[in-house]
Amino acid sequence: MPGVTNDLARWQFATTSIYHFLFVPVTIGLAFLVAVLQTAWYRTDNPDYKRMTRFFGTLLLINVAIGVVTGLVQEFEFGMNWSVYSRFVGGVFGAPLAMEGLLAFFLESTFLGLWLFGWNRLPKRVHLATIWAVAIGSMLSAMFILIANSWMQHPVGYKFNKAGDPVLNNVWALFVNPTFVWGYAHVILASLITGALVMLAVSAWYLRKQQHVESFHRTAKVALIALIPAIVIQLSVGNQLGVIEAHYQPMKIAAAEAQWNSCKPCSFSALQFGGFSQSDQNATQIIPIPHLLSVLATGTWNGPVTGLNQLQTQYQKQYGPGDYIPNVAIQYWSMRVMAYLGSLVLLLALWGGWLLHRRKVGSSRVFLTIAVWAVVTPFLMNTAGWLLTESGRQPWIVQGLQKTAVANSPSVSSTDIIISLTVFVLSYILLGAADLILMLRYSRHGFAQADAEAAEPAADAAEPVLTY
């Protein structure tokens, strides 16, 4: 049953991708913030900054270790479960994926090792450069992956060869692809928000316990200073990304609002019941906000939005018979989970900034309690954003060029995928539990270790100690 096999292959890739993407934003965000802490130590020579660099650097290492393992699986899935797709896009995908592996991942992993083992061995300036190389490498890695993914959303810079497969003929077009430019900015900002909320949550936990107050007040300050501009800019970038997607993938935006028929101007429903399928297009809207969908989708007050029914008719004429409407319920609720939680994070950041200004961050127990639990919000937002992006492209695996239904491997059976999917799920549950236990345990009890490590005598800057 090819259809069942295809659905199972989709479930497997979705499971591994969502799980892997729990770790990626933490790595990017924490790497940047750890580099900021170490820079503060380098500039001030305050041992407290060194202590906090070691502390949060260890949390970064735990996250990287689990994240790398989960990411490797996806490389094999391309060839094993999606061989038809891999052959079709190989002439385009090969370039950014090769650059990610040979340049970005190599840079990130090599300098992470140098940073880990270079404490008190490398000169301070060189050691500081290694953690910034890690931060840059993680962002470059995300860049090349987003280049490849953005090509699936909006194919550019290619031509068809004699076999009918796309081949790359303009590398620069991949880097200036509008879906990549705004999508990459969106992911980097989401990663900074994730890293800042993780750092803020750990800091708030210690401040509530009145333990190491001075140290964690510093990291709470760093987290808030990073969080406030990141979440404010993210709202603007997210809005612009919506305009870009409405232009190149109008079906995705129409589904995110469950907008079955064209409108001008268009309102945004804060909440609705029903209206999530072709057989149920009549929704009960709760608090419709006039003109907001027009603003989000077109950037104008009275902009038109083409409805799902009209787009379905248009696509059938353009691409032939078929159902071109994605899962509307997933699109609608993913959009609102991301938007509503993002708004709550903005309020939390502004609240924290106000307390920081009044020098009361460490004494507001209500804020500190909420800040601890707010750590779950970026993971929910990131997952919702991934679902919105990838599910909204369906039924296409490459927009307008190849459908998901014909992209999986014909030689892989449903039984093969069920077995491997079961193994992956069980393994990921164990890995997730191990990561959570290690992160929580070190967050609660690792400060003494970081304090001891930070107290080790530094190597002479002119004559670094080398060990073999």
Side-chain angles (χ1 to χ4, degrees):
M1 294 185 292
V4 174
T5 304
N6 186 278
D7 289 341
L8 287 170
R10 286 183 62 195
W11 271 101
Q12 186 177 80
F13 198 83
T15 301
T16 53
S17 297
I18 290 174
Y19 193 85
H20 177 59
F21 201 65
L22 296 175
F23 302 95
V24 171
V26 179
T27 297
I28 296 173
L30 267 188
F32 175 80
L33 292 173
V34 169
V36 169
L37 289 175
Q38 187 162 343
T39 301
W41 171 56
Y42 175 80
R43 292 178 63 86
T44 65
D45 207 30
N46 185 335
D48 202 32
Y49 282 117
K50 181 181 181 182
R51 181 185 301 116
M52 303 316 294
T53 301
R54 300 293 293 259
F55 178 84
F56 283 100
T58 301
L59 294 179
L60 170 65
L61 290 170
I62 294 171
N63 181 80
V64 169
I66 304 296
V68 168
V69 173
T70 59
L72 289 175
V73 174
Q74 293 179 292
E75 303 290 339
F76 293 99
E77 284 181 315
F78 280 125
M80 297 182 70
N81 287 0
W82 301 98
S83 60
V84 175
Y85 161 79
S86 297
R87 284 194 295 269
F88 181 72
V89 303
V92 176
F93 250 49
L97 291 185
M99 286 186 279
E100 192 275 334
L102 296 175
L103 175 62
F105 183 73
F106 178 80
L107 178 70
E108 181 184 359
S109 57
T110 299
F111 282 95
L112 185 62
L114 289 172
W115 181 80
L116 174 61
F117 297 105
W119 283 102
N120 303 319
R121 292 177 173 84
L122 295 174
K124 285 178 64 176
R125 181 178 299 181
V126 174
H127 192 252
L128 174 63
T130 62
I131 190 60
W132 277 111
V134 172
I136 294 170
S138 66
M139 292 184 184
L140 285 176
S141 184
M143 182 184 76
F144 290 121
I145 296 299
L146 259 293
I147 284 175
N149 182 268
S150 298
W151 188 85
M152 295 166 63
Q153 312 291 336
H154 174 51
V156 295
Y158 70 96
K159 65 178 181 179
F160 289 106
N161 61 16
K162 293 181 180 180
D165 297 332
V167 293
L168 188 63
N169 68 345
N170 185 355
V171 176
W172 180 244
L174 300 180
F175 288 87
V176 296
N177 186 345
T179 57
F180 160 70
V181 173
W182 292 101
Y184 180 61
H186 195 62
V187 168
I188 293 300
L189 287 167
S191 300
L192 293 176
I193 291 167
T194 303
L197 285 171
V198 169
M199 181 175 286
L200 179 62
V202 174
S203 303
W205 189 87
Y206 274 96
L207 291 174
R208 281 186 69 246
K209 297 290 184 180
Q210 290 294 297
Q211 297 177 6
H212 315 293
V213 172
E214 184 177 353
S215 298
F216 285 101
H217 186 274
R218 283 193 173 94
T219 53
K221 181 178 180 180
V222 169
L224 285 169
I225 290 175
L227 178 62
I228 294 171
I231 188 63
V232 171
I233 297 172
Q234 179 72 307
L235 295 178
S236 176
V237 169
N239 182 51
Q240 183 60 35
L241 182 59
V243 174
I244 295 296
E245 290 180 336
H247 180 72
Y248 295 111
Q249 296 176 298
M251 188 71 82
K252 179 185 292 186
I253 297 302
E257 181 54 29
Q259 188 69 44
W260 289 95
N261 294 300
S262 300
C263 56
K264 180 185 179 181
C266 306
S267 62
F268 178 92
S269 63
L271 182 67
Q272 77 177 41
F273 299 102
F276 298 131
S277 67
Q278 288 179 296
S279 60
D280 177 22
Q281 299 185 12
N282 297 317
T284 302
Q285 292 191 344
I286 308 297
I287 316 177
I289 305 173
H291 297 275
L292 182 56
L293 179 58
S294 291
V295 173
L296 294 175
T298 69
T300 60
W301 186 249
N302 293 312
V305 174
T306 307
L308 292 167
N309 290 325
Q310 289 73 35
L311 288 170
Q312 170 69 9
T313 301
Q314 175 186 326
Y315 284 13
Q316 284 185 326
K317 292 180 180 178
Q318 184 176 358
Y319 301 111
D323 183 3
Y324 296 92
I325 299 176
N327 188 305
V328 178
I330 291 178
Q331 293 300 106
Y332 182 89
W333 292 113
S334 295
M335 170 67 176
R336 278 144 187 82
V337 167
M338 186 171 59
Y340 295 164
L341 289 180
S343 299
L344 292 177
V345 170
L346 173 62
L347 294 176
L348 178 69
L350 295 176
W351 184 13
W354 179 71
L355 291 173
L356 191 65
H357 175 69
R358 299 189 64 190
R359 300 182 180 180
K360 292 185 177 181
V361 170
S363 59
S364 176
R365 294 189 63 81
V366 176
F367 172 79
L368 295 176
T369 300
I370 294 175
V372 170
W373 289 103
V375 73
V376 302
T377 58
F379 299 100
L380 295 175
M381 288 190 294
N382 294 337
T383 301
W386 186 91
L387 288 172
L388 182 68
T389 299
E390 301 305 308
S391 177
R393 190 181 62 247
Q394 300 303 318
W396 300 104
I397 194 167
V398 179
Q399 184 74 34
L401 298 184
Q402 186 181 55
K403 290 185 177 180
T404 307
V406 299
N408 62 301
S409 301
S411 61
V412 178
S413 67
S414 299
T415 303
D416 295 332
I417 299 179
I418 290 173
I419 293 172
S420 59
L421 177 58
T422 302
V423 171
F424 284 149
V425 170
L426 293 176
S427 300
Y428 283 178
I429 289 174
L430 293 176
L431 285 171
D435 180 73
L436 184 61
I437 291 171
L438 288 171
M439 293 284 278
L440 289 176
R441 180 172 296 179
Y442 188 83
S443 295
R444 293 175 177 176
H445 308 294
F447 190 81
Q449 178 182 335
D451 198 12
E453 291 172 344
E456 294 175 3
D460 189 299
E463 299 180 6
V465 178
L466 299 178
T467 58
Y468 298 89

